[in-house]
Amino acid sequence: MAAAEDASRPFAGLSDVSISEDIPVEGDISVPVGSTRRDDEFSTLDEPVKETILRDLRAVGNKFVHVLYPKRSTALLRDWDLWGPLLLCVTLALLLQGGAADSDDQGGPQFAEVFVIVWFGSIIITLNSKLLGGTISFFQSLCVLGYCIMPLTAAMAVCRIVLVGGSGKVSFAVRLAVVTVSFGWSTFASTAFLADSQPPNRKALVVYPVFLFYFVIGWMILTFSPSQ
Amino acid sequence: MASTNDPFQFQEFEEAGNLLEANKDAVTISIEDDFKPEKQRKAAGFAPDGEDEDPLAGDDKTELLSGQKKSVPFWTFEYYQKFFDIETHHVKERIIGSMVPWPGKNFIHVYLRRNPDLYGPFWICTTLVFAIAISGNISNFLVHLGKPNYKYTPEFRKVTIAATAIFSYAWFVPLALWGFLLWRNNKVMNLVSYSFMEIVCVYGYSLSIYIPAVFLWILPYEWLRWCSIVLALCLSGTVLVMTFWPAVRDDHPKVIVAIMSAIVVLNVLLAVGCKAYFFSKPEPALPVENSAITAAIKATAST
């Protein structure tokens, strides 16, 4: 009976327990307010426009520096953006204009053709690396491939300057050297970033399409001939 | 059960013994490799009920172990991932195997081994497209070098044309061949049948010999170009013919001749067509000029 009574009042015994006075029970029950940093990231409405743009520009510039001195780092991969590739692609396509394309129908690449080659080439290489089991994400790979076009764009600018001085054998030799160096630099930079995300016995299978991609772009730059 | 009954009762002992035998093999099969113990079991001829429960478990295990033959719908990414399940040395072996036909080594049986890939055909075709366009451009430039009225153009339109020609050869000819072989399989029971992906794979890798040949065509010597075309045609044609011989061997002789000649003729058409369209012949301009000059000199000398 006593057990049944006790069972019916399961916490009955607790009323006899008194909280002794010498154990201080004190504290602060308050809901922690969300950190002010989170508010800033979500609403960039309050900051001046110049700061928003400068932050993105600084990120793009930072990645350019990483391509110039390629080390095995994850900076390009962590916060990817496609502003840099777009800028480089537009610059390259503009620099490839003004060639024999304007007069001939069998001339150099049109503006749209350069865009198609760069972006479709990057997409196909990304799909290839993902199908082969790469751990890199789609846009990260596009970002790396686009940023590593930078040496080739710089080579295109140099070639245009050299071509102003004339288009003889010497200028061809100089252009060949510049394009070869920048092609090697682009391929080396992109493999430095992409190498870690591939399974080890398929690295050559992933690097070869990148090599072919930059080779074709280098070929387009080398064969650019200005209209006379 | 054997412990509770009389151990000298033969029936229970035999049952327990049979179960133990079958179970013993089941345990060893699940630990060891998948295919070999199955063959040994079937060869030894065990009791049917022992085999009934094991192949079911064995099938699941072999599917999981081999990772193939899972029916994944073709609109998912994983479906295409199984065609890229190769490594660098596999690709190298397959390329070399397609360039060097060895008597008795069927490309599909020796190199593909039920694992056709799409990496090789796609990237070999792409490389060939750009190789043809670039080599054609360089050879045009070399042929017209020194002529005053020649304006160098990179000719990017030709890349599109080369891409159309090569990719349609590498995809539509295997499609037609596969359809034809399927139709003949319904009429004549062949021991060997190839899947569509394996035929695409063979055709893609057989184009790999043309890449060095195309770079040889840059030099403007006709004899060199024709020699390299004939050599490349012989090698790749032999590989293709030897690959498809077991599939049509049991058929009517006229059908065999028709298929083999179609394979060879299409190969020849592709090679010669590419050479003719992208690589211009060095023009015999000098003899014409010489005869004009000699005619002019004769005319002035006679007057």
Side-chain angles (χ1 to χ4, degrees):
Chain A
M1 279 285 269
E5 276 185 12
D6 274 339
S8 64
R9 294 176 293 140
F11 298 115
L14 282 181
S15 58
D16 299 336
V17 173
S18 64
I19 298 176
S20 63
E21 297 292 330
D22 51 352
I23 299 178
V25 177
E26 57 185 42
D28 197 5
I29 302 179
S30 61
V31 177
V33 179
S35 59
T36 47
R37 263 188 69 238
R38 274 180 54 197
D39 275 340
D40 271 345
E41 280 189 27
F42 282 143
S43 71
T44 50
L45 284 177
D46 294 336
E47 61 175 12
V49 173
K50 182 177 81 162
E51 237 187 73
T52 316
I53 294 181
L54 273 184
R55 179 181 25 217
D56 277 337
L57 278 181
R58 252 180 257 126
V60 168
N62 187 28
K63 293 199 189 65
F64 277 143
V65 169
H66 275 279
V67 172
L68 275 180
Y69 303 109
K71 307 181 286 262
R72 262 165 214 261
S73 75
T74 53
L76 265 189
L77 297 181
R78 255 182 294 127
D79 2 279
W80 55 268
D81 71 86
L82 291 177
W83 284 116
L86 182 67
L87 206 63
L88 287 169
C89 190
V90 167
T91 315
L92 185 65
L94 281 176
L95 285 175
L96 276 169
Q97 292 309 295
D102 296 337
S103 46
D104 254 345
D105 56 345
Q106 279 243 342
Q110 305 294 323
F111 187 87
E113 280 174 356
V114 177
F115 248 82
V116 160
I117 288 182
V118 169
W119 287 100
F120 264 102
S122 305
I123 289 176
I124 288 180
I125 293 176
T126 307
L127 275 180
N128 177 64
S129 93
K130 283 192 79 67
L131 281 168
L132 280 170
T135 53
I136 202 172
S137 94
F138 185 75
F139 287 109
Q140 280 172 345
S141 172
L142 281 185
C143 167
V144 168
L145 288 168
Y147 270 104
C148 290
I149 293 184
M150 191 188 73
L152 282 166
T153 312
M156 181 72 217
V158 168
C159 283
R160 280 306 287 252
I161 296 174
V162 167
L163 276 172
V164 166
S167 58
K169 289 211 164 68
V170 174
S171 98
F172 178 73
V174 168
R175 280 185 292 141
L176 182 64
V178 167
V179 168
T180 313
V181 165
S182 61
F183 156 70
W185 193 351
S186 288
T187 313
F188 175 68
S190 63
T191 47
F193 290 117
L194 290 177
D196 295 328
S197 64
Q198 305 304 329
N201 45 2
R202 294 179 182 178
K203 282 213 163 75
L205 296 183
V206 172
V207 166
Y208 171 71
V210 175
F211 168 87
L212 187 65
F213 175 62
Y214 289 129
F215 184 81
V216 168
I217 295 184
W219 175 255
M220 285 200 300
I221 292 176
L222 188 62
T223 59
F224 173 77
S225 59
S227 55
Q228 275 140 11
Chain B
M1 272 181 67
S3 57
T4 53
N5 293 338
D6 188 6
F8 292 119
Q9 275 200 3
F10 278 131
Q11 291 149 356
E12 288 179 2
F13 206 69
E14 275 180 17
E15 280 177 28
N18 272 345
L19 282 173
L20 266 179
E21 271 186 306
N23 276 341
K24 242 196 275 182
D25 280 339
V27 167
T28 54
I29 285 169
S30 64
I31 293 176
E32 286 173 18
D33 266 352
D34 35 356
F35 286 116
K36 269 189 255 167
E38 266 187 14
K39 280 191 200 147
Q40 284 171 2
R41 272 195 306 134
K42 284 176 186 151
F46 279 113
D49 55 347
E51 275 191 8
D52 272 341
E53 49 182 18
D54 278 336
L56 290 175
D59 276 344
D60 284 343
K61 285 200 180 91
T62 51
E63 273 197 48
L64 284 172
L65 283 172
S66 60
Q68 291 173 353
K69 315 282 188 298
K70 280 188 296 187
S71 56
V72 188
F74 65 90
W75 54 82
T76 56
F77 193 69
E78 284 77 26
Y79 179 79
Y80 298 101
Q81 209 155 13
K82 71 175 186 258
F83 295 122
F84 281 78
D85 190 20
I86 48 162
E87 302 177 5
T88 313
H89 66 271
H90 289 150
V91 173
K92 276 193 220 157
E93 285 165 14
R94 290 178 189 188
I95 291 181
I96 295 180
S98 73
M99 289 197 197
V100 182
W102 206 253
K105 273 196 183 178
N106 185 332
F107 186 79
I108 291 188
H109 289 147
V110 172
Y111 293 103
L112 290 191
R113 288 181 206 240
R114 299 255 156 243
N115 190 18
D117 69 294
L118 277 180
Y119 177 90
F122 180 74
W123 287 109
I124 290 178
C125 289
T126 314
T127 312
L128 191 60
V129 163
F130 285 116
I132 284 189
I134 291 178
S135 309
N137 202 244
I138 297 182
S139 91
N140 264 344
F141 174 70
L142 284 180
V143 161
H144 294 120
L145 191 62
K147 296 202 183 130
N149 51 354
Y150 173 69
K151 173 94 184 71
Y152 171 76
T153 56
E155 289 171 335
F156 271 96
R157 294 286 176 275
K158 294 202 164 173
V159 175
T160 331
I161 300 172
T164 316
I166 289 176
F167 273 99
S168 41
Y169 174 81
W171 286 88
F172 288 127
V173 171
L175 187 67
L177 195 59
W178 174 71
F180 188 80
L181 286 178
L182 210 61
W183 174 59
R184 292 308 298 177
N185 247 350
N186 283 339
K187 303 208 160 181
V188 176
M189 261 322 285
N190 273 327
L191 288 172
V192 177
S193 71
Y194 299 135
S195 70
F196 174 60
M197 280 299 164
E198 286 170 345
I199 301 185
V200 164
C201 207
V202 171
Y203 264 86
Y205 278 104
S206 75
L207 285 176
S208 65
I209 183 122
Y210 288 111
I211 297 178
V214 156
F215 281 119
L216 264 185
W217 296 349
I218 293 180
L219 305 173
Y221 300 119
E222 276 302 305
W223 61 269
L224 182 65
R225 288 181 184 175
W226 280 110
C227 278
S228 56
I229 272 197
V230 165
L231 185 65
L233 275 175
C234 283
L235 288 176
S236 75
T238 315
V239 168
L240 284 175
V241 162
M242 269 175 24
T243 304
F244 286 106
W245 174 252
V248 295
R249 179 172 44 192
D250 307 319
D251 215 341
H252 198 257
K254 279 193 190 163
V255 171
I256 298 182
V257 168
I259 287 195
M260 291 307 175
S261 49
I263 292 177
V264 170
V265 161
L266 282 170
N267 208 3
V268 168
L269 274 180
L270 179 79
V272 174
C274 281
K275 178 191 169 301
Y277 183 70
F278 293 103
F279 295 85
S280 54
K281 291 195 190 16
E283 286 152 20
L286 288 175
V288 174
E289 280 176 63
N290 269 337
S291 57
I293 291 172
T294 46
I297 291 175
K298 279 187 190 155
T300 50
S302 59
T303 53

